[in-house]
Amino acid sequence: MDLHYLKIFYEVAKEKSFTKAASKLYINQSAVSIQVKKFEEILNAKLFDRSSKKIKLTYTGEALYKMAEDIFDKVKRAEKEISRIIDLDRAKISIGATSVIGEPLIPRLMKGFSKAHEEIEYELTIGDKGWLLKLLKEGDLDILIIDEEHINDPNLEVITIEKMPYVLVSTKEYHSMESVAKDPLITRRNIPNNNEAIAAIEDKYRVTFSSKINVNGSLEVIKGMVREEIGNVILPYYSVHKEIEKGEFKVIYKVNDVKDGYQAVITKDKKSLIQIIKFINFIQDYKIQY
């Protein structure tokens, strides 16, 4: 299959217009039409339904378009990677992370990684999962560090790094779970594991957290509310380990039956890059004691 013909077909299918494809490819429209027809002859298959007034793909055309999209996405990522290496004359890694992972973990991870691998430069992007996954697929990021997510994409590889228990933390001292339950509990209702951890404590101690404050978004806002003694909170250990180590937060209860971890996500075409291998090996060896 000639990639020149495939590229022309791909642009017509993507733009849904022979005119727009011609403009993008800097060739005239008649040349585009001729070469698409030649491509169909080579493949011995109709790619466009010419009975329709609008640009419409046949079943074969739809299948080929999806494959072509994957091919040209990989070409674009390869071009970006080579340009980056040439510009820097050294390895570089672009890392994306959600704020839940980024705020508590990334500073320590990157401090250790930089010390272990001074030869690798890096840049960080913090954002929401959907946006980060888009950047990863487009080749603008090399790897994502995210809280657990079910990802079903044949072009992505998901590596679970570590699972840790949920912990109920506070700045106060308590003598019983009954007294803890009387104080407000900061919750994250949109996180299933968080709800399971709350239920596990309520079932074990036969208590009910009657006063709940739901907070979505920033982990630092939640921690700030705990510091101000507005309420207590149940979070994965990795997200509060720094405050626990400093003695800022006290662990009231560890929910060993409910655990949460974080994952590394990469595109399969980049998993053999040496800087990616070194970074994944480092974060897999990085352990938080609890």
Side-chain angles (χ1 to χ4, degrees):
M1 186 182 291
D2 191 315
L3 284 181
H4 170 70
Y5 288 122
L6 183 64
K7 179 66 174 174
I8 292 172
F9 157 76
Y10 172 70
E11 291 299 341
V12 173
K14 183 181 176 184
E15 298 295 334
K16 294 183 173 57
S17 165
F18 282 84
T19 304
K20 289 180 181 177
S23 176
K24 196 168 181 181
L25 295 165
Y26 301 104
I27 54 179
N28 62 54
Q29 185 179 333
S30 61
V32 170
S33 299
I34 291 167
Q35 293 190 59
V36 166
K37 191 168 181 56
K38 177 68 175 175
F39 191 34
E40 288 178 316
E41 290 171 2
I42 292 169
L43 297 175
N44 193 28
K46 292 292 182 185
L47 301 176
F48 293 98
D49 181 359
R50 288 172 173 78
S51 65
S52 173
K53 290 182 179 180
K54 295 181 180 179
I55 295 292
K56 187 178 178 183
L57 291 167
T58 62
Y59 179 80
T60 304
E62 287 278 5
L64 183 60
Y65 175 71
K66 285 184 172 61
M67 287 184 274
E69 189 173 41
D70 183 45
I71 289 167
F72 291 117
D73 279 348
K74 286 178 179 176
V75 168
K76 187 188 285 186
R77 290 199 295 270
E79 287 171 345
K80 285 181 180 178
E81 186 62 32
I82 291 301
S83 295
R84 197 164 63 184
I85 291 169
I86 291 169
D87 290 343
L88 295 168
D89 197 27
R90 63 182 298 187
K92 184 177 180 181
I93 186 168
S94 294
I95 303 160
T98 53
S99 60
V100 171
I101 297 297
E103 289 169 1
L105 274 180
I106 289 294
R108 285 191 173 191
L109 279 176
M110 299 322 299
K111 181 180 179 181
F113 181 71
S114 294
K115 190 174 180 180
H117 297 286
E118 294 179 355
E119 76 282 7
I120 300 175
E121 290 189 358
Y122 67 87
E123 58 183 29
L124 298 172
T125 301
I126 308 298
D128 65 77
K129 281 184 206 172
W131 180 58
L132 292 172
L133 280 166
K134 181 176 181 290
L135 293 179
L136 181 74
K137 291 176 183 179
E138 291 175 351
D140 293 314
L141 292 176
D142 298 319
I143 188 165
L144 298 187
I145 306 295
I146 61 173
D147 42 314
E148 283 192 303
E149 175 85 0
H150 178 70
I151 295 173
N152 186 20
D153 188 318
N155 295 315
L156 300 180
E157 185 160 324
V158 181
I159 304 155
T160 298
I161 304 301
E162 189 172 9
K163 284 183 175 285
M164 296 179 212
Y166 271 74
V167 286
L168 171 59
V169 297
S170 177
T171 56
K172 300 179 183 179
E173 293 282 357
Y174 291 96
H175 299 294
S176 69
M177 193 60 73
E178 286 77 12
S179 58
V180 176
K182 289 176 183 177
D183 281 346
L185 181 70
I186 300 165
T187 65
R188 297 183 299 158
R189 278 201 303 263
N190 59 333
I191 310 294
N193 282 357
N194 190 254
N195 298 324
E196 285 183 34
I198 293 170
I201 295 175
E202 290 182 329
D203 290 345
K204 180 177 176 63
Y205 289 97
R206 298 185 182 279
V207 298
T208 300
F209 293 100
S210 54
S211 176
K212 294 177 181 175
I213 305 167
N214 187 54
V215 179
N216 295 314
S218 174
L219 194 62
E220 287 306 311
V221 169
I222 292 173
K223 291 180 185 179
M225 292 173 74
V226 176
R227 291 186 190 100
E228 294 298 326
E229 299 187 353
I230 294 171
N232 304 318
V233 72
I234 299 173
L235 290 170
Y237 187 87
Y238 66 76
S239 64
V240 287
H241 72 285
K242 185 172 64 176
E243 289 80 6
I244 293 168
E245 287 173 8
K246 290 180 177 178
E248 195 175 347
F249 290 172
K250 300 175 181 67
V251 176
I252 299 169
Y253 184 71
K254 190 186 296 181
V255 190
N256 288 311
D257 293 337
V258 183
K259 295 188 175 182
D260 199 354
Y262 57 100
Q263 301 170 325
V265 186
I266 56 173
T267 52
K268 289 183 177 178
D269 58 325
K270 284 191 177 182
K271 69 178 184 179
S272 59
L273 293 175
I274 188 65
Q275 65 268 37
I276 301 289
I277 293 170
K278 286 180 178 180
F279 185 71
I280 289 173
N281 287 343
F282 177 81
I283 59 177
Q284 284 180 320
D285 290 339
Y286 180 83
K287 299 297 178 186
I288 297 171
Q289 298 302 317
Y290 58 88

